[in-house]
Amino acid sequence: MSSNEPSDALDAFESELTALGDLLDVPAAPPPADVAAAVRARLEADAPAAARDRPEPGASPAVRARPGPASREDEPVRPARRRRRRRWAVVAAVVVAVITVTAATPQGRAAVAQILRFAGIEIEVGDTTPPPVTTTAGLPGEHEVARADLPAQVRFPVRTPAALGEPQRVTVSENGRVASMFWPGGIRLDQFDGTMAPYFFKKLGPPAPEYTRVNGREAWWIPGEHPLGYIPREDGTQVPLRQAAATLIWQQDGVNLRLEGAGSLKEAVRIASSIK
């Protein structure tokens, strides 16, 4: 291995971080004075620890040396390596400060609030109503099955809302990862594995999702129509499905559920609460 390989690796890593920064979608920057104050406070907080680690001026070599058996860490550090360590220490301090300032400013909080991931669904909330999905598509591999065959075809326990009775139609998708039930009037219930990363995605404008409870569990009500799609596990892209009706989403016993088409929050909660 040549002596330049560690340096080349660090330089390549730095280039990758710079390129990644160009791809980040961040809110409007807070005032420079706020950033400078946060960075200064962070560096001053770390300064006492750094001062404790520095040897006293005029200390003997024995005092300067580290105790314990010799190791590669005890070898003299080349000036170039010292500079790189200092550089990354400063970068780390600045990153921490920027994160702190971002979380503390209204702009930063708005950026964080734009994405909500809950019950296997990624919800993107914007300031304006997103364009509607004008096509209709099914989930990958979706096929109709008999209600009695569900336990053999899905990977989790499937339940039926007592308030609705037996569904008119049942489908299974994604090799048993998703089970969907349909009732007259456009009501459908999707149930899918709670261990999965976000599977469905929704794009919303105002009004924002409303927090509620189902059988004592956290739930969210998505009012109004909105674009719905799914996120393939292979590449994480977003594939539009259709324009969905108002939906209630929650998680129960490790299974994610989305109830669509109930019409109102009160009715959706009533139906969802009948799933035991």
Side-chain angles (χ1 to χ4, degrees):
M1 178 182 293
S2 69
S3 60
N4 291 331
E5 287 186 7
S7 174
D8 294 340
L10 283 172
D11 291 339
F13 180 56
E14 185 177 6
S15 298
E16 292 177 5
L17 287 177
T18 302
L20 177 61
D22 294 335
L23 299 176
L24 293 177
D25 183 14
V26 298
D34 292 352
V35 177
V39 173
R40 188 180 304 111
R42 178 69 185 185
L43 294 178
E44 289 175 354
D46 292 340
R52 286 195 300 270
D53 294 337
R54 285 198 299 269
E56 293 293 334
S60 65
V63 173
R64 294 173 181 270
R66 295 178 182 174
S71 65
R72 292 192 62 185
E73 293 185 357
D74 295 321
E75 296 174 3
V77 180
R78 294 193 297 269
R81 291 178 61 188
R82 287 196 190 98
R83 286 195 298 272
R84 290 192 185 94
R85 288 183 180 179
R86 285 196 296 268
R87 180 181 63 189
W88 288 114
V90 172
V91 169
V94 172
V95 168
V96 170
V98 169
I99 292 174
T100 302
V101 172
T102 299
T105 59
Q107 303 99 317
R109 287 194 297 270
V112 173
Q114 285 179 354
I115 297 295
L116 168 67
R117 293 182 178 90
F118 175 72
I121 299 174
E122 181 175 290
I123 304 171
E124 180 180 330
V125 183
D127 295 331
T128 58
T129 301
V133 177
T134 57
T135 58
T136 300
L139 290 167
E142 186 171 13
H143 61 282
E144 191 165 340
V145 301
R147 173 68 178 89
D149 294 338
L150 270 178
Q153 297 207 26
V154 297
R155 308 178 182 185
F156 51 88
V158 177
R159 296 176 173 85
T160 303
L164 294 177
E166 286 299 307
Q168 188 178 54
R169 187 167 63 94
V170 177
T171 64
V172 172
S173 313
E174 277 277 14
N175 296 317
R177 294 192 179 100
V178 183
S180 303
M181 299 179 177
F182 302 82
W183 289 267
I187 298 178
R188 68 178 287 164
L189 175 66
D190 296 307
Q191 303 178 58
F192 51 106
D193 188 352
T195 63
M196 295 169 58
Y199 181 73
F200 287 103
F201 73 85
K202 295 173 178 286
K203 295 183 181 294
L204 310 179
E210 182 176 345
Y211 176 83
T212 186
R213 308 283 290 182
V214 172
N215 289 332
R217 302 176 177 89
E218 179 180 5
W220 287 89
W221 170 247
I222 314 298
E225 292 189 354
H226 54 275
L228 170 74
Y230 75 96
I231 305 172
R233 305 184 89 182
E234 293 78 13
D235 55 15
T237 57
Q238 293 185 342
V239 181
L241 288 175
R242 56 190 170 80
Q243 191 75 353
T247 304
L248 179 69
I249 61 174
W250 76 103
Q251 190 174 65
Q252 182 170 329
D253 301 327
V255 177
N256 297 317
L257 301 97
R258 62 176 304 276
L259 176 64
E260 179 184 343
S264 69
L265 170 58
K266 182 178 180 180
E267 178 65 6
V269 170
R270 185 187 74 84
I271 294 172
S273 298
S274 70
I275 300 177
K276 305 298 184 181

